[in-house]
Amino acid sequence: MATKKDYLLIVLHILSWIIFVGLLVEAGGFLFNTLYTLLYNPAGAANFWMKSDLSGLYSFNQSHFVTLTVIMVIASVLKAIMFYVIVKLFHDKKLDLTAPFNESFGRGLYNLSYLTAGISLFTYWGTKLSASLTEQGVSLPSLQELRLAGPDVWLFMCVALLVFARIFKKGITIQHENQLTI
Amino acid sequence: MPIIVNLDVMMAKRKMSLNELSDKVGLTLANLSILKTGKAKAIRFSTLETICKVLHCQPADILEYVAEEEG
């Protein structure tokens, strides 16, 4: 049973690394494409990250283009930081299964919930901006392609993580008292 | 905490060292030290029983309640 649990943790560790690297590449891609389009070649908007076409938005209004791409960059950077926190928890060996309720892990859970709140806020802003631009007749790729979908899901996740973090904090106190019971 | 642990007083009365008590009670030195310095959050009845048996004393000889001053 213990071997199976360790195996699962190793798989999750590797998966977290892959997702973290993927999100990092995505955030870098958004940032590079934005800067490339603004500073070097406006045609870059037509062939944005993963072939998304933002040329309509770019020709409609450059400041709206900057706003939307900055929101995309911030959301993807926050997602990358979120997985950095997870990878760090694995990497720093803070996940001690003999005494799992430790301070650093509890802090990590709180950080994850704050990060999901931030992602929810920026994706919500991006969703609203995208909807408003579409209403004005600007052709935009779908929210999935812009990586701005599901702000409500991120909010639910934030609340769920906050609840877990709160319960975890209680667990830390109980474990601490248990360790100091002679 | 208003509960004072007088383990060191009883140990001195019985002329028993921490090492000797640790051997007789079966607790680690680290845990006995936590108990002696008042850092412990709780004590098991079984631990209290063994300590009382080894030191030939009552629980009240080891634990004392001192009301905290308000303000």
Side-chain angles (χ1 to χ4, degrees), chain B residues 5-69:
Chain B
V5 181
N6 290 322
L7 187 64
D8 44 355
V9 178
M10 275 318 292
M11 279 164 62
K13 278 184 186 169
R14 301 287 181 259
K15 294 186 173 60
M16 198 179 281
S17 70
L18 203 63
N19 278 319
E20 195 182 344
L21 185 68
S22 166
D23 285 341
K24 286 184 176 170
V25 172
L27 282 176
T28 61
L29 274 174
N31 276 344
L32 263 184
S33 178
I34 288 171
L35 189 61
K36 201 168 79 101
T37 49
K39 284 178 189 161
K41 292 270 182 189
I43 180 164
R44 289 189 188 89
F45 279 148
S46 55
T47 311
L48 194 59
E49 184 190 329
T50 325
I51 291 172
C52 289
K53 196 187 278 179
V54 170
L55 292 176
H56 307 290
C57 64
Q58 291 297 313
D61 296 325
I62 297 167
L63 302 174
E64 184 189 355
Y65 171 74
V66 178
E68 269 182 322
E69 280 181 35

Side-chain angles (χ1 to χ4, degrees), chain A residues 101-114:
Chain A
F101 294 95
N102 57 59
E103 289 283 346
S104 56
F105 202 75
R107 231 179 2 255
L109 265 183
Y110 270 109
N111 287 342
L112 285 178
S113 68
Y114 299 146

Side-chain angles (χ1 to χ4, degrees), chain A residues 88-101:
Chain A
K88 204 167 181 294
L89 284 175
F90 278 115
H91 199 72
D92 293 352
K93 307 280 179 204
K94 282 173 181 167
L95 195 65
D96 179 9
L97 290 178
T98 53
F101 294 95

Side-chain angles (χ1 to χ4, degrees), chain A:
Chain A
M1 189 68 189
T3 321
K4 209 173 185 181
K5 268 183 190 171
D6 286 346
Y7 177 70
L8 187 65
L9 271 180
I10 292 166
V11 170
L12 286 173
H13 189 177
I14 294 167
L15 211 60
S16 305
W17 260 111
I18 293 168
I19 296 171
F20 170 59
V21 172
L23 288 169
L24 216 55
V25 170
E26 186 181 88
F30 283 152
L31 193 64
F32 174 78
N33 276 315
T34 305
L35 294 175
Y36 179 78
T37 306
L38 290 172
L39 305 173
Y40 188 66
N41 186 0
N47 199 5
F48 210 73
W49 180 252
M50 301 295 271
K51 310 275 182 200
S52 300
D53 185 3
L54 292 178
S55 56
L57 176 62
Y58 187 80
S59 52
F60 174 72
N61 189 327
Q62 273 196 32
S63 57
H64 276 132
F65 172 82
V66 173
T67 311
L68 191 68
T69 50
V70 165
I71 290 170
M72 286 158 65
V73 169
I74 292 173
S76 51
V77 166
L78 286 176
K79 286 177 200 170
I81 294 172
M82 192 180 158
F83 271 85
Y84 171 74
V85 171
I86 295 170
V87 165
K88 204 167 181 294
L89 284 175
F90 278 115
H91 199 72
D92 293 352
K93 307 280 179 204
K94 282 173 181 167
L95 195 65
D96 179 9
L97 290 178
T98 53
F101 294 95
N102 57 59
E103 289 283 346
S104 56
F105 202 75
R107 231 179 2 255
L109 265 183
Y110 270 109
N111 287 342
L112 285 178
S113 68
Y114 299 146
L115 283 165
T116 47
I119 296 166
S120 169
L121 184 76
F122 281 101
T123 49
Y124 179 74
W125 187 10
T127 306
K128 286 286 166 196
L129 181 65
S130 168
S132 137
L133 288 167
T134 312
E135 268 177 27
Q136 291 173 56
V138 181
S139 126
L140 277 174
S142 68
L143 287 172
Q144 276 81 12
E145 282 180 72
L146 296 174
R147 303 288 191 271
L148 292 173
D152 48 345
V153 178
W154 285 108
L155 190 66
F156 289 148
M157 195 173 164
C158 165
V159 174
L161 278 170
L162 261 182
V163 170
F164 289 143
R166 198 71 204 157
I167 295 169
F168 201 86
K169 201 177 173 187
K170 190 76 188 158
I172 294 169
T173 315
I174 291 170
Q175 184 181 278
H176 186 63
E177 282 185 5
N178 198 34
Q179 280 168 346
L180 288 175
T181 298
I182 310 298

